[in-house]
Amino acid sequence: MNAESFVVFDNIGKRWNGQLGVENISIQIPEGSFVALLGPSGCGKSTTLRLLAGLEIPDEGEIHIDGLDVTEMAPSARNLSMVFQSYALFPHLSVAENVMFGMKVRKVPKQERLEKLNNALDITGLLGYEDRKPGELSGGQRQRVALARAIVARQPLCLMDEPLSNLDAKLRHSVRKDIKKLQRDLGMTVVYVTHDQTEAMSMADIIILMKDGHIMQTGSPRDLYGQPQNTFAAEFIGAPPMALINGGTISGSDHADKVGVRTENVTVVEAGKGRLTCTVAESEYLGEETHVLLEHPAAKGLVVKMPGYTSLVEGSIVDITFEDSTLHYFDDKGNRMS
Ligand code: ADP
Ligand code: MG
């Protein structure tokens, strides 16, 4: 175990009546980092977070926070704060009372409570909203109240479970930046659950990608994008995901079961002059560019990005090409080769 890591999961497993929650979870989180637990619904993200919070106790393995074995410790003894998707605000209490609730329970002196309240409302842009009830706030403001409550707690570790999924796209984008800035400014260690790869890519220092209760890959956003360790990571990370082509379809790749290529490395060329002949299946016009989905019997997820509006007609035949140096090779178990 790495003594320098702030949070350590050593081979954690959790089941309910034999049914798998998570298994073989080993994680090392440096202090002050932003870690995203990423994966599809049901893959074990919340279970992992709840184990760290102390809301679940693992069947096997150990959890350490700041050098202390907390595996079976009560949540309140772990020095952490939590923000959930549901905000979990008291509807009958004002913004100020909601934010100060925990401090009141801990009997923090009134003067200190008010100072911390003001500071947290300032940071989250909620000054002036002290007396409103949650029902009188927008979704984004409510989420900021939940954030403010986590800030006043001044815990070194903050856990967030899909905190932005109730917000509309525009708000999600701005609160995302707020959270990231807060984490940096306060030097907090944040463990952040999301199913949204864009959120994980844009916010995290380290992404832990999960599937079916297991970790598929741990690394920086650039690691996961540039060196996916398996076809699951290749297809989960990136918008559009990495295209996968059957090995053997492309010259020089019959040693691999699947060959992966990113959209930015695919070029449309004159018919007969490329490495793969495809049919244009559909076009998605986005303003600054058009995503063109191509079909080939031995490939899936082939998308080319064309600048502006493209004149490629659905049903027409195009050739594509790519450099060998940009290809990713996977074996018949879906694992990265070399
Ligand atoms: P995620 O947050 O990634 O969507 P969860 O961690 O909530 O996934 O769930 C992982 C798996 O564990 C799922 O199969 C889920 O049904 C199961 N699970 C979670 N909590 C419980 C529980 N309290 N009892 C039984 N099964 C659970
Ligand atoms: Mg969840």
Side-chain angles (χ1 to χ4, degrees):
M1 240 180 271
N2 184 349
E4 284 171 37
S5 297
F6 189 61
V7 173
V8 176
F9 272 53
D10 185 22
N11 205 29
I12 288 292
K14 175 71 186 172
R15 285 162 211 88
W16 292 273
N17 304 318
Q19 197 211 320
L20 183 67
V22 295
E23 201 171 54
N24 300 126
I25 302 296
S26 291
I27 300 174
Q28 300 192 344
I29 298 176
E31 186 161 18
S33 56
F34 194 115
V35 175
L37 293 172
L38 174 68
S41 176
C43 72
K45 307 180 295 293
S46 295
T47 302
T48 305
L49 202 74
R50 291 170 59 81
L51 284 160
L52 180 53
L55 300 171
E56 303 281 357
I57 302 298
D59 299 321
E60 71 232 6
E62 282 183 14
I63 300 175
H64 292 221
I65 300 175
D66 203 8
L68 201 65
D69 183 349
V70 300
T71 314
E72 307 209 349
M73 261 187 203
S76 57
R78 298 188 182 203
N79 298 328
L80 46 83
S81 56
M82 281 179 264
V83 181
F84 297 103
Q85 173 184 351
S86 59
Y87 320 128
L89 302 178
F90 296 109
H92 58 288
L93 298 184
S94 68
V95 166
E97 290 164 332
N98 264 289
V99 172
M100 288 192 294
F101 186 80
M103 290 195 284
K104 224 167 172 174
V105 171
R106 290 196 308 279
K107 304 208 171 20
V108 175
K110 187 164 186 199
Q111 187 56 32
E112 189 183 336
R113 279 203 315 255
L114 289 174
E115 276 168 24
K116 286 189 166 160
L117 169 71
N118 260 302
N119 173 257
L121 295 186
D122 186 20
I123 291 174
T124 50
L126 283 169
L127 284 174
Y129 291 88
E130 291 81 350
D131 298 326
R132 297 241 195 139
K133 297 276 166 63
E136 299 163 331
L137 299 173
S138 70
Q141 289 167 332
R142 277 180 232 171
Q143 195 51 271
R144 282 163 206 265
V145 178
L147 279 175
R149 196 174 45 187
I151 292 166
V152 294
R154 281 297 156 102
Q155 300 290 7
L157 179 59
C158 182
L159 313 186
M160 304 194 186
D161 195 343
E162 313 239 13
L164 308 185
S165 43
N166 284 343
L167 309 184
D168 65 57
K170 213 169 189 167
L171 204 53
R172 247 195 336 257
H173 190 245
S174 73
V175 182
R176 199 157 89 191
K177 287 197 272 190
D178 294 341
I179 292 179
K180 184 70 196 165
K181 185 170 185 311
L182 263 177
Q183 179 261 336
R184 284 217 188 103
D185 291 353
L186 301 180
M188 284 188 293
T189 306
V190 169
V191 183
Y192 186 101
V193 163
T194 179
H195 63 272
D196 180 345
Q197 65 95 25
T198 313
E199 232 169 75
M201 290 292 279
S202 60
M203 296 173 92
D205 303 310
I206 301 169
I207 296 176
I208 298 172
L209 179 64
M210 299 183 69
K211 179 198 175 199
D212 299 337
H214 293 90
I215 294 178
M216 299 302 286
Q217 185 167 358
T218 300
S220 68
R222 289 186 67 189
D223 287 338
L224 271 82
Y225 190 84
Q227 301 274 309
Q229 290 306 299
N230 40 62
T231 50
F232 178 78
E235 290 188 290
F236 201 87
I237 304 288
M242 184 180 280
L244 294 176
I245 306 166
N246 292 346
T249 313
I250 303 158
S251 55
S253 66
D254 25 7
H255 65 293
D257 185 64
K258 291 276 185 296
V259 178
V261 62
R262 290 268 180 218
T263 179
E264 60 271 32
N265 298 314
V266 177
T267 324
V268 174
V269 292
E270 210 178 300
K273 299 221 166 139
R275 300 180 71 175
L276 209 60
T277 302
C278 307
T279 310
V280 175
E282 59 183 56
S283 297
E284 195 181 8
Y285 174 61
L286 298 171
E288 82 283 17
E289 61 188 10
T290 305
H291 294 186
V292 181
L293 177 64
L294 302 177
E295 272 179 356
H296 184 281
K300 68 170 173 165
L302 263 180
V303 175
V304 285
K305 292 185 181 181
M306 314 285 280
Y309 182 79
T310 176
S311 54
L312 286 178
V313 181
E314 284 172 26
S316 60
I317 305 293
V318 294
D319 263 32
I320 56 166
T321 194
F322 29 77
E323 301 282 338
D324 277 346
S325 62
T326 65
L327 300 179
H328 303 253
Y329 300 100
F330 301 97
D331 67 17
D332 58 1
K333 293 199 171 68
N335 290 321
R336 184 180 192 86
M337 302 169 75
S338 77

PDB file of all heavy atoms in Angstrom, residues 16 19-22 39-48 50 56 161-162 193, ligand 1:
ATOM      1  N   TRP A  16     -24.505  -8.260  -1.778  1.00  0.00           N
ATOM      2  CA  TRP A  16     -25.724  -8.352  -0.981  1.00  0.00           C
ATOM      3  C   TRP A  16     -26.357  -9.705  -1.279  1.00  0.00           C
ATOM      4  O   TRP A  16     -26.701  -9.958  -2.439  1.00  0.00           O
ATOM      5  CB  TRP A  16     -26.712  -7.243  -1.324  1.00  0.00           C
ATOM      6  CG  TRP A  16     -26.247  -5.890  -0.917  1.00  0.00           C
ATOM      7  CD1 TRP A  16     -26.424  -5.294   0.298  1.00  0.00           C
ATOM      8  CD2 TRP A  16     -25.530  -4.935  -1.718  1.00  0.00           C
ATOM      9  NE1 TRP A  16     -25.865  -4.039   0.304  1.00  0.00           N
ATOM     10  CE2 TRP A  16     -25.307  -3.802  -0.926  1.00  0.00           C
ATOM     11  CE3 TRP A  16     -25.047  -4.937  -3.025  1.00  0.00           C
ATOM     12  CZ2 TRP A  16     -24.645  -2.680  -1.378  1.00  0.00           C
ATOM     13  CZ3 TRP A  16     -24.379  -3.827  -3.487  1.00  0.00           C
ATOM     14  CH2 TRP A  16     -24.184  -2.710  -2.668  1.00  0.00           C
ATOM     15  N   GLN A  19     -25.203 -11.312  -4.242  1.00  0.00           N
ATOM     16  CA  GLN A  19     -25.248 -10.533  -5.482  1.00  0.00           C
ATOM     17  C   GLN A  19     -24.161  -9.460  -5.480  1.00  0.00           C
ATOM     18  O   GLN A  19     -23.986  -8.744  -4.493  1.00  0.00           O
ATOM     19  CB  GLN A  19     -26.624  -9.885  -5.635  1.00  0.00           C
ATOM     20  CG  GLN A  19     -26.910  -9.413  -7.063  1.00  0.00           C
ATOM     21  CD  GLN A  19     -27.811  -8.203  -7.094  1.00  0.00           C
ATOM     22  OE1 GLN A  19     -28.761  -8.116  -6.324  1.00  0.00           O
ATOM     23  NE2 GLN A  19     -27.483  -7.254  -7.962  1.00  0.00           N
ATOM     24  N   LEU A  20     -23.443  -9.380  -6.598  1.00  0.00           N
ATOM     25  CA  LEU A  20     -22.276  -8.510  -6.655  1.00  0.00           C
ATOM     26  C   LEU A  20     -22.620  -7.031  -6.640  1.00  0.00           C
ATOM     27  O   LEU A  20     -23.487  -6.572  -7.372  1.00  0.00           O
ATOM     28  CB  LEU A  20     -21.468  -8.822  -7.930  1.00  0.00           C
ATOM     29  CG  LEU A  20     -20.163  -8.024  -8.084  1.00  0.00           C
ATOM     30  CD1 LEU A  20     -19.154  -8.424  -7.030  1.00  0.00           C
ATOM     31  CD2 LEU A  20     -19.590  -8.208  -9.478  1.00  0.00           C
ATOM     32  N   GLY A  21     -21.938  -6.304  -5.768  1.00  0.00           N
ATOM     33  CA  GLY A  21     -21.936  -4.850  -5.833  1.00  0.00           C
ATOM     34  C   GLY A  21     -20.665  -4.431  -6.529  1.00  0.00           C
ATOM     35  O   GLY A  21     -20.686  -4.002  -7.684  1.00  0.00           O
ATOM     36  N   VAL A  22     -19.525  -4.593  -5.828  1.00  0.00           N
ATOM     37  CA  VAL A  22     -18.211  -4.332  -6.429  1.00  0.00           C
ATOM     38  C   VAL A  22     -17.223  -5.407  -5.965  1.00  0.00           C
ATOM     39  O   VAL A  22     -17.444  -6.077  -4.955  1.00  0.00           O
ATOM     40  CB  VAL A  22     -17.657  -2.938  -6.044  1.00  0.00           C
ATOM     41  CG1 VAL A  22     -18.529  -1.827  -6.611  1.00  0.00           C
ATOM     42  CG2 VAL A  22     -17.505  -2.781  -4.536  1.00  0.00           C
ATOM     43  N   GLY A  39     -18.718   5.422 -15.188  1.00  0.00           N
ATOM     44  CA  GLY A  39     -19.179   4.163 -15.764  1.00  0.00           C
ATOM     45  C   GLY A  39     -20.679   4.188 -15.956  1.00  0.00           C
ATOM     46  O   GLY A  39     -21.358   5.079 -15.445  1.00  0.00           O
ATOM     47  N   PRO A  40     -21.214   3.191 -16.677  1.00  0.00           N
ATOM     48  CA  PRO A  40     -22.657   3.157 -16.940  1.00  0.00           C
ATOM     49  C   PRO A  40     -23.445   2.880 -15.663  1.00  0.00           C
ATOM     50  O   PRO A  40     -22.892   2.427 -14.656  1.00  0.00           O
ATOM     51  CB  PRO A  40     -22.809   2.017 -17.945  1.00  0.00           C
ATOM     52  CG  PRO A  40     -21.600   1.166 -17.766  1.00  0.00           C
ATOM     53  CD  PRO A  40     -20.502   2.065 -17.300  1.00  0.00           C
ATOM     54  N   SER A  41     -24.732   3.130 -15.708  1.00  0.00           N
ATOM     55  CA  SER A  41     -25.616   2.900 -14.565  1.00  0.00           C
ATOM     56  C   SER A  41     -25.499   1.456 -14.076  1.00  0.00           C
ATOM     57  O   SER A  41     -25.457   0.531 -14.877  1.00  0.00           O
ATOM     58  CB  SER A  41     -27.045   3.205 -15.017  1.00  0.00           C
ATOM     59  OG  SER A  41     -27.927   2.920 -13.982  1.00  0.00           O
ATOM     60  N   GLY A  42     -25.387   1.284 -12.766  1.00  0.00           N
ATOM     61  CA  GLY A  42     -25.339  -0.052 -12.174  1.00  0.00           C
ATOM     62  C   GLY A  42     -23.941  -0.664 -12.104  1.00  0.00           C
ATOM     63  O   GLY A  42     -23.797  -1.807 -11.675  1.00  0.00           O
ATOM     64  N   CYS A  43     -22.901   0.100 -12.472  1.00  0.00           N
ATOM     65  CA  CYS A  43     -21.548  -0.493 -12.519  1.00  0.00           C
ATOM     66  C   CYS A  43     -20.860  -0.497 -11.160  1.00  0.00           C
ATOM     67  O   CYS A  43     -19.788  -1.067 -11.005  1.00  0.00           O
ATOM     68  CB  CYS A  43     -20.688   0.227 -13.552  1.00  0.00           C
ATOM     69  SG  CYS A  43     -20.197   1.882 -13.056  1.00  0.00           S
ATOM     70  N   GLY A  44     -21.449   0.177 -10.150  1.00  0.00           N
ATOM     71  CA  GLY A  44     -20.869   0.135  -8.815  1.00  0.00           C
ATOM     72  C   GLY A  44     -20.247   1.446  -8.340  1.00  0.00           C
ATOM     73  O   GLY A  44     -19.548   1.467  -7.321  1.00  0.00           O
ATOM     74  N   LYS A  45     -20.527   2.546  -9.018  1.00  0.00           N
ATOM     75  CA  LYS A  45     -19.956   3.841  -8.631  1.00  0.00           C
ATOM     76  C   LYS A  45     -20.445   4.282  -7.258  1.00  0.00           C
ATOM     77  O   LYS A  45     -19.660   4.615  -6.380  1.00  0.00           O
ATOM     78  CB  LYS A  45     -20.322   4.923  -9.674  1.00  0.00           C
ATOM     79  CG  LYS A  45     -19.972   4.587 -11.099  1.00  0.00           C
ATOM     80  CD  LYS A  45     -20.367   5.697 -12.056  1.00  0.00           C
ATOM     81  CE  LYS A  45     -21.864   5.939 -12.168  1.00  0.00           C
ATOM     82  NZ  LYS A  45     -22.614   4.841 -12.798  1.00  0.00           N
ATOM     83  N   SER A  46     -21.779   4.286  -7.098  1.00  0.00           N
ATOM     84  CA  SER A  46     -22.333   4.749  -5.815  1.00  0.00           C
ATOM     85  C   SER A  46     -21.933   3.816  -4.686  1.00  0.00           C
ATOM     86  O   SER A  46     -21.663   4.268  -3.568  1.00  0.00           O
ATOM     87  CB  SER A  46     -23.861   4.844  -5.892  1.00  0.00           C
ATOM     88  OG  SER A  46     -24.236   5.834  -6.811  1.00  0.00           O
ATOM     89  N   THR A  47     -21.893   2.516  -4.972  1.00  0.00           N
ATOM     90  CA  THR A  47     -21.471   1.564  -3.939  1.00  0.00           C
ATOM     91  C   THR A  47     -20.057   1.893  -3.474  1.00  0.00           C
ATOM     92  O   THR A  47     -19.781   1.917  -2.263  1.00  0.00           O
ATOM     93  CB  THR A  47     -21.538   0.117  -4.500  1.00  0.00           C
ATOM     94  OG1 THR A  47     -22.880  -0.140  -4.921  1.00  0.00           O
ATOM     95  CG2 THR A  47     -21.109  -0.895  -3.465  1.00  0.00           C
ATOM     96  N   THR A  48     -19.163   2.171  -4.420  1.00  0.00           N
ATOM     97  CA  THR A  48     -17.778   2.509  -4.081  1.00  0.00           C
ATOM     98  C   THR A  48     -17.740   3.768  -3.211  1.00  0.00           C
ATOM     99  O   THR A  48     -17.032   3.823  -2.193  1.00  0.00           O
ATOM    100  CB  THR A  48     -16.958   2.718  -5.369  1.00  0.00           C
ATOM    101  OG1 THR A  48     -17.075   1.542  -6.178  1.00  0.00           O
ATOM    102  CG2 THR A  48     -15.498   2.981  -5.068  1.00  0.00           C
ATOM    103  N   ARG A  50     -20.211   5.001  -1.377  1.00  0.00           N
ATOM    104  CA  ARG A  50     -20.859   4.734  -0.085  1.00  0.00           C
ATOM    105  C   ARG A  50     -19.942   3.944   0.857  1.00  0.00           C
ATOM    106  O   ARG A  50     -19.986   4.135   2.074  1.00  0.00           O
ATOM    107  CB  ARG A  50     -22.189   4.009  -0.305  1.00  0.00           C
ATOM    108  CG  ARG A  50     -23.256   4.907  -0.956  1.00  0.00           C
ATOM    109  CD  ARG A  50     -24.479   4.121  -1.389  1.00  0.00           C
ATOM    110  NE  ARG A  50     -25.103   3.443  -0.258  1.00  0.00           N
ATOM    111  CZ  ARG A  50     -25.920   4.018   0.618  1.00  0.00           C
ATOM    112  NH1 ARG A  50     -26.211   5.304   0.487  1.00  0.00           N
ATOM    113  NH2 ARG A  50     -26.434   3.339   1.612  1.00  0.00           N
ATOM    114  N   GLU A  56     -21.795   1.992   3.743  1.00  0.00           N
ATOM    115  CA  GLU A  56     -21.755   0.537   3.562  1.00  0.00           C
ATOM    116  C   GLU A  56     -20.440   0.043   4.152  1.00  0.00           C
ATOM    117  O   GLU A  56     -19.448   0.775   4.144  1.00  0.00           O
ATOM    118  CB  GLU A  56     -21.781   0.154   2.070  1.00  0.00           C
ATOM    119  CG  GLU A  56     -22.960   0.669   1.291  1.00  0.00           C
ATOM    120  CD  GLU A  56     -24.232  -0.149   1.509  1.00  0.00           C
ATOM    121  OE1 GLU A  56     -24.184  -1.166   2.246  1.00  0.00           O
ATOM    122  OE2 GLU A  56     -25.273   0.254   0.958  1.00  0.00           O
ATOM    123  N   ASP A 161     -22.011  12.516  -5.462  1.00  0.00           N
ATOM    124  CA  ASP A 161     -22.638  11.470  -6.269  1.00  0.00           C
ATOM    125  C   ASP A 161     -23.583  12.098  -7.286  1.00  0.00           C
ATOM    126  O   ASP A 161     -24.674  12.529  -6.938  1.00  0.00           O
ATOM    127  CB  ASP A 161     -23.398  10.483  -5.371  1.00  0.00           C
ATOM    128  CG  ASP A 161     -23.745   9.204  -6.125  1.00  0.00           C
ATOM    129  OD1 ASP A 161     -23.705   9.210  -7.370  1.00  0.00           O
ATOM    130  OD2 ASP A 161     -24.072   8.202  -5.460  1.00  0.00           O
ATOM    131  N   GLU A 162     -23.148  12.171  -8.529  1.00  0.00           N
ATOM    132  CA  GLU A 162     -23.929  12.746  -9.638  1.00  0.00           C
ATOM    133  C   GLU A 162     -24.590  14.065  -9.226  1.00  0.00           C
ATOM    134  O   GLU A 162     -25.812  14.226  -9.382  1.00  0.00           O
ATOM    135  CB  GLU A 162     -24.998  11.749 -10.111  1.00  0.00           C
ATOM    136  CG  GLU A 162     -24.441  10.341 -10.305  1.00  0.00           C
ATOM    137  CD  GLU A 162     -24.605   9.817 -11.725  1.00  0.00           C
ATOM    138  OE1 GLU A 162     -24.927  10.609 -12.627  1.00  0.00           O
ATOM    139  OE2 GLU A 162     -24.368   8.613 -11.921  1.00  0.00           O
ATOM    140  N   VAL A 193     -18.746  11.032  -8.474  1.00  0.00           N
ATOM    141  CA  VAL A 193     -19.389   9.974  -9.276  1.00  0.00           C
ATOM    142  C   VAL A 193     -20.142  10.580 -10.452  1.00  0.00           C
ATOM    143  O   VAL A 193     -20.897  11.542 -10.283  1.00  0.00           O
ATOM    144  CB  VAL A 193     -20.372   9.168  -8.399  1.00  0.00           C
ATOM    145  CG1 VAL A 193     -21.339   8.360  -9.264  1.00  0.00           C
ATOM    146  CG2 VAL A 193     -19.612   8.251  -7.450  1.00  0.00           C
TER     147      VAL A 193
HETATM  148  P1  ADP B   1     -24.112   2.953  -9.997  1.00  0.00           P
HETATM  149  O1  ADP B   1     -24.018   3.977  -8.928  1.00  0.00           O
HETATM  150  O2  ADP B   1     -22.847   2.799 -10.786  1.00  0.00           O
HETATM  151  O3  ADP B   1     -25.284   3.166 -10.906  1.00  0.00           O
HETATM  152  P2  ADP B   1     -24.589   1.117  -7.788  1.00  0.00           P
HETATM  153  O4  ADP B   1     -23.307   1.196  -7.044  1.00  0.00           O
HETATM  154  O5  ADP B   1     -25.731   1.882  -7.256  1.00  0.00           O
HETATM  155  O6  ADP B   1     -24.334   1.520  -9.325  1.00  0.00           O
HETATM  156  O7  ADP B   1     -25.012  -0.406  -7.918  1.00  0.00           O
HETATM  157  C1  ADP B   1     -24.103  -1.434  -8.267  1.00  0.00           C
HETATM  158  C2  ADP B   1     -24.801  -2.775  -8.173  1.00  0.00           C
HETATM  159  O8  ADP B   1     -25.076  -3.098  -6.808  1.00  0.00           O
HETATM  160  C3  ADP B   1     -26.128  -2.818  -8.896  1.00  0.00           C
HETATM  161  O9  ADP B   1     -26.273  -4.074  -9.484  1.00  0.00           O
HETATM  162  C4  ADP B   1     -27.129  -2.600  -7.783  1.00  0.00           C
HETATM  163  O10 ADP B   1     -28.366  -3.195  -8.095  1.00  0.00           O
HETATM  164  C5  ADP B   1     -26.461  -3.282  -6.614  1.00  0.00           C
HETATM  165  N1  ADP B   1     -26.846  -2.682  -5.326  1.00  0.00           N
HETATM  166  C6  ADP B   1     -26.563  -1.436  -4.901  1.00  0.00           C
HETATM  167  N2  ADP B   1     -27.036  -1.208  -3.653  1.00  0.00           N
HETATM  168  C7  ADP B   1     -27.674  -2.357  -3.284  1.00  0.00           C
HETATM  169  C8  ADP B   1     -28.379  -2.778  -2.103  1.00  0.00           C
HETATM  170  N3  ADP B   1     -28.512  -1.967  -1.042  1.00  0.00           N
HETATM  171  N4  ADP B   1     -28.874  -4.034  -2.094  1.00  0.00           N
HETATM  172  C9  ADP B   1     -28.720  -4.866  -3.150  1.00  0.00           C
HETATM  173  N5  ADP B   1     -28.067  -4.540  -4.274  1.00  0.00           N
HETATM  174  C10 ADP B   1     -27.551  -3.293  -4.359  1.00  0.00           C
END
